[in-house]
């Protein structure tokens, strides 16, 4: 069993998050960026939508009385909508107003002092669903509609403004990178819905841009090293005469 040494970045979402461990995925890129500083926990569940996310979050978020015994979530990304936007009568469909309410509920689980899961140290980033390329997505049993997904991406931005949470608008960033062409999104979408490494790189850059601008205390880059140090000292700072004295976990300094 691993000891509670490093705090974490937690990623919650659907298959777009679950596949973030794929080569070039945003979870992999975040893990590389935060190596020796924060661990990355991936709680993406393929096919899930926000109705189902709430009971999952009630189990994967630590309650206040548990938080002293587990790694602290320093950064939480919430990335749903690709399935919520599936047209009715799909079981994945969540009406857009309830989708917004669900996102707010998940945010308030962490932000509200009256919540059993209140975690004032946790910084939150919402991520919009990316565009869909209906020319690629050849799944008549699970259809998607380009404009519907756009409206769910806009809904995320509305929730972000309401809850005062920054939003990584990857819908716009990917669509702009594709020259505002649905078909050209093929570079960023492996099957019309899920992302290629190029698509994930846009997500990663959008998340890190928010960290740099809004949560600079969590900026892990070398230039910001004084803000966020490694948990254990660099090798050239080890006390060679008495190694153990310098090899204790350091307190986070932000």
């Amino acid at each position: 069993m691993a000891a509670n040494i490093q705090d974490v970045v937690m990623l919650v979402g659907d298959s777009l998050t679950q596949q973030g461990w794929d080569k070039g995925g945003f979870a992999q890129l975040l893990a590389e960026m935060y190596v020796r500083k924060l661990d990355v926990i991936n709680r993406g569940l393929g096919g899930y939508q926000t109705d189902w996310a709430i009971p999952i979050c009630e189990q994967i978020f630590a309650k206040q009385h548990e938080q002293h015994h587990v790694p602290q979530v320093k950064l939480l990304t919430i990335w749903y909508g690709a399935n919520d936007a599936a047209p009715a009568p799909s079981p994945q469909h969540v009406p857009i107003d309830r989708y917004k309410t669900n996102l707010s509920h998940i945010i308030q689980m962490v932000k509200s002092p009256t919540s059993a899961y209140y975690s004032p140290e946790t910084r939150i980033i919402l991520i919009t669903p990316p565009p869909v390329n209906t020319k690629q997505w050849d799944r008549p049993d699970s259809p998607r509609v380009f404009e519907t997904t756009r409206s769910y991406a806009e809904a995320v931005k509305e929730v972000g403004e309401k809850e005062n949470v920054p939003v990584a608008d990857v819908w716009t960033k990917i669509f702009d990178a594709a020259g505002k062409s649905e078909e050209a999104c093929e570079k960023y979408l492996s099957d019309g819905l899920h992302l290629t490494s190029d698509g994930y790189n846009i997500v990663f850059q959008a998340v890190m841009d928010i960290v740099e601008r809004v949560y600079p205390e969590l900026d892990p880059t070398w230039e910001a090293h004084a803000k966020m140090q490694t948990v254990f000292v660099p090798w050239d700072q080890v006390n060679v005469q008495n190694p153990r004295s310098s090899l204790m976990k350091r307190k986070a300094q932000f």
Side-chain angles (χ1 to χ4, degrees), residues 108-227:
Q108 286 304 315
M109 287 176 68
V110 176
K111 289 186 66 176
S112 173
T114 62
S115 168
Y117 307 91
Y118 178 53
S119 179
E121 297 299 318
T122 300
R123 306 294 182 251
I124 301 174
I125 296 176
L126 285 171
I127 306 177
T128 72
V132 293
N133 182 350
T134 57
K135 312 298 188 296
Q136 278 181 285
W137 184 249
D138 187 21
R139 289 278 303 275
D141 61 318
S142 182
R144 293 295 189 275
V145 179
F146 181 82
E147 287 298 333
T148 300
T149 302
R150 185 206 295 261
S151 67
Y152 277 68
E154 290 299 317
V156 177
K157 292 191 282 186
E158 293 173 19
V159 173
E161 183 174 359
K162 173 180 175 247
E163 301 293 347
N164 194 28
V165 169
V167 175
D169 182 7
V170 301
W171 197 101
T172 299
K173 289 183 181 297
I174 289 176
F175 195 52
D176 285 351
K180 301 186 185 299
S181 164
E182 179 182 345
E183 292 188 10
C185 288
E186 184 174 2
K187 177 180 178 181
Y188 307 100
L189 302 170
S190 61
D191 56 7
L193 181 67
H194 301 97
L195 298 178
T196 64
S197 58
D198 287 324
Y200 274 123
N201 189 60
I202 289 177
V203 177
F204 169 71
Q205 294 297 337
V207 168
M208 293 312 302
D209 179 64
I210 289 173
V211 168
E212 181 180 344
R213 292 185 295 103
V214 185
Y215 305 134
E217 70 275 15
L218 295 180
D219 188 338
T221 60
W222 180 256
E223 292 78 11
H225 187 70
K227 296 179 183 177

Side-chain angles (χ1 to χ4, degrees), residues 33-96:
M33 181 64 76
Y34 280 101
V35 66
R36 296 187 59 181
K37 297 176 181 179
L38 296 174
D39 288 331
V40 174
I41 296 179
N42 187 333
R43 293 293 180 262
L45 300 173
Y48 276 52
Q49 33 86 321
T50 53
D51 281 347
W52 305 336
I54 290 172
I56 295 299
C57 289
E58 290 170 352
Q59 298 172 75
I60 63 175
F61 292 169
K63 294 183 177 179
Q64 290 190 53
H65 69 274
E66 301 169 327
Q67 291 173 10
H68 294 297
H69 308 291
V70 296
Q72 189 174 74
V73 178
K74 292 293 187 181
L75 180 65
L76 172 68
T77 65
I78 302 172
W79 192 7
Y80 293 98
N83 297 318
D84 300 71
S90 167
Q92 294 176 305
H93 172 71
V94 175
I96 196 164

Side-chain angles (χ1 to χ4, degrees), residues 5-7 30-40 220 222 225 228-238 246-247 249-250:
I5 293 295
Q6 293 192 172
D7 291 327
L30 285 169
E32 291 175 0
M33 181 64 76
Y34 280 101
V35 66
R36 296 187 59 181
K37 297 176 181 179
L38 296 174
D39 288 331
V40 174
W222 180 256
H225 187 70
M228 190 177 192
Q229 63 186 11
T230 56
V231 173
F232 295 104
V233 297
W235 72 270
D236 56 359
Q237 294 180 24
V238 174
S246 57
L247 295 176
K249 173 183 176 180
R250 298 192 288 183

